[in-house]
Amino acid sequence: MTILLIIIIIAVLVAFYAVSIYNKLVRLRNLVQEGWSSIDVMLKKRHDLIPNLVETVKGYATHERSTLDSVIQARASAVNANNLHDKESAEKNLSQAMMNLMAVAEQYPDLKANANFQQLQGELSNIEGDIEKARRYYNGTVRENNTAVESFPSNIVANMYKFEKAQFFELQNAAEREVPTVKF
């Protein structure tokens, strides 16, 4: 009788432990989804701001049509990207196009002095900072989720209930990871 009682207690404790692991995995999956949603909201804000910035530049830099077109095309690709991999690639292209647009703006002192342009540029800078924070948060939640999915004994519960590793939001271009060389 005592052995049966001990076996039942052990079974109940194992069941409670398995339920707590399951709940932790659900919480982590939801945090990953929340993190991605935050990135998506910030990207939407940036995508909504870009046409106004392009229109402002267009008024000053009429002969820079190819730069403006590349920004518009990169924005459209970023808006229409469906999965994380496509979104990363599209956002990289959009960031590059925006850097080119800002380089064009540097060539026009009247544009740089325009209050509307300065306001839009400031908003874009703030949004870029928010996107960076959202990406860090997302990657942190992905790290926690992936550790739980791969670690023993939670990996047993994760495999039983089909919890999967999430994908990090990373740099696509290996050259961007390299430390720049500074020479005097």
Side-chain angles (χ1 to χ4, degrees):
M1 186 69 162
T2 308
I3 294 178
L4 182 62
L5 185 60
I6 292 173
I7 292 172
I8 291 173
I9 290 173
I10 290 173
V12 168
L13 289 175
V14 168
F16 278 126
Y17 187 64
V19 167
S20 72
I21 289 173
Y22 177 84
N23 289 339
K24 177 183 177 182
L25 290 167
V26 168
R27 181 180 61 79
L28 290 171
R29 180 179 59 198
N30 289 336
L31 287 173
V32 168
Q33 291 170 346
E34 173 196 18
W36 178 250
S37 178
S38 295
I39 290 173
D40 218 22
V41 166
M42 294 300 142
L43 293 176
K44 170 90 171 90
K45 280 182 170 181
R46 180 168 82 168
H47 298 159
D48 290 346
L49 181 66
I50 288 171
N52 295 332
L53 198 57
V54 168
E55 285 301 314
T56 303
V57 172
K58 208 183 273 186
Y60 287 87
T62 54
H63 66 281
E64 301 288 349
R65 192 76 180 147
S66 65
T67 302
L68 299 173
D69 288 343
S70 70
V71 170
I72 292 167
Q73 290 171 354
R75 178 192 176 270
S77 294
V79 168
N80 295 324
N82 293 324
N83 60 43
L84 182 60
H85 178 70
D86 292 346
K87 192 83 95 168
E88 281 179 322
S89 179
E91 289 300 326
K92 178 184 162 280
N93 291 338
L94 180 58
S95 293
Q96 183 62 44
M98 290 302 297
M99 286 185 349
N100 292 343
L101 180 67
M102 292 305 163
V104 165
E106 289 293 318
Q107 299 172 9
Y108 296 89
D110 292 343
L111 173 60
K112 286 186 354 184
N114 180 289
N116 189 35
F117 179 77
Q118 288 177 345
Q119 177 193 0
L120 291 169
Q121 195 174 23
E123 286 178 39
L124 184 62
S125 178
N126 289 339
I127 290 171
E128 291 294 337
D130 291 344
I131 290 170
E132 180 184 339
K133 291 173 195 167
R135 284 179 180 161
R136 276 198 309 264
Y137 174 77
Y138 172 78
N139 283 339
T141 59
V142 166
R143 181 192 63 241
E144 294 295 320
N145 179 71
N146 292 353
T147 300
V149 167
E150 292 181 312
S151 298
F152 180 81
S154 59
N155 65 343
I156 296 168
V157 176
N159 289 332
M160 285 174 39
Y161 292 101
K162 308 277 188 263
F163 285 92
E164 296 178 353
K165 288 176 52 178
Q167 185 179 351
F168 286 101
F169 202 100
E170 298 178 307
L171 294 174
Q172 293 281 322
N173 185 354
E176 291 177 358
R177 290 188 174 107
E178 293 179 13
V179 177
T181 305
V182 179
K183 294 181 182 179
F184 293 101

